Amino acid sequence: MNITEQLNRQIANFQVLNFKLHHYHWRVSGPHFFTLHAKFEEWYDRAAAYTDDLAERVLALQGEPPVTLQQCLGLASLKEAAGGETAEQMVRTLAEDVSILISELKETAAEADEAGDRPTADMLTDFQTELEKDAWMLRAFLA
């Protein structure tokens, strides 16, 4: 898979994550409602920004980003929300998703670096840094 294809997989992942976070934002309930409702909104805003940055990078590399939900679902490593999750299940699922994203971003950044594409590698490393902080927060919530 070339760098553009790998970036498109991440666009798809962040689109799926964006939908999942909206779903969780609207459906979360229980004693952690106020905390998680606000956090899910913060994260879906960031997922949308990452999607835009990735798509613009793909275009800069003369590629074509995925533009339909069907394309994104076919490319993504992440799965849609199942529906009916408890707040704890939502957080557990997001922790798993963030782990997948970190791993894939790290792999793609290394390949971009090897190919001499520092702008892509730097962008993905920045995303990874933010997601590693999110992973820590999710683990702390579940502890």
Side-chain angles (χ1 to χ4, degrees):
M1 192 179 303
N2 67 36
I3 298 299
T4 301
E5 292 169 333
Q6 290 180 38
L7 293 175
N8 280 341
R9 180 176 59 185
Q10 296 317 309
I11 291 168
N13 279 337
F14 282 108
Q15 288 287 54
V16 170
L17 183 63
N18 191 356
F19 270 85
K20 184 181 290 185
L21 287 163
H22 273 87
H23 174 88
Y24 290 172
H25 174 76
W26 295 324
R27 299 291 186 181
V28 69
S29 61
H32 301 290
F33 170 80
F34 288 107
T35 302
L36 291 176
H37 184 76
K39 186 54 78 173
F40 294 157
E41 182 175 5
E42 174 190 326
W43 284 341
Y44 69 62
D45 286 341
R46 187 157 25 106
Y50 287 172
T51 302
D52 191 54
D53 290 345
L54 288 161
E56 288 174 354
R57 186 69 192 143
V58 167
L59 291 165
L61 296 172
Q62 300 181 349
E64 290 292 326
V67 294
T68 69
L69 293 176
Q70 185 174 6
Q71 285 177 304
C72 289
L73 289 170
L75 292 171
S77 305
L78 305 185
K79 303 296 179 216
E80 292 181 285
E85 297 92 340
T86 65
E88 185 174 325
Q89 289 168 328
M90 291 174 183
V91 172
R92 191 169 308 286
T93 298
L94 290 173
E96 293 166 4
D97 288 350
V98 167
S99 178
I100 291 167
L101 289 168
I102 290 167
S103 176
E104 290 182 3
L105 289 170
K106 186 182 290 189
E107 177 185 316
T108 304
E111 290 181 29
D113 196 32
E114 264 183 46
D117 184 354
R118 291 295 313 157
T120 298
D122 289 347
M123 178 180 67
L124 298 177
T125 301
D126 289 345
F127 294 173
Q128 179 189 334
T129 301
E130 288 293 320
L131 289 168
E132 286 172 348
K133 182 178 177 183
D134 296 338
W136 158 65
M137 290 180 177
L138 291 163
R139 287 190 309 269
F141 181 92
L142 293 168

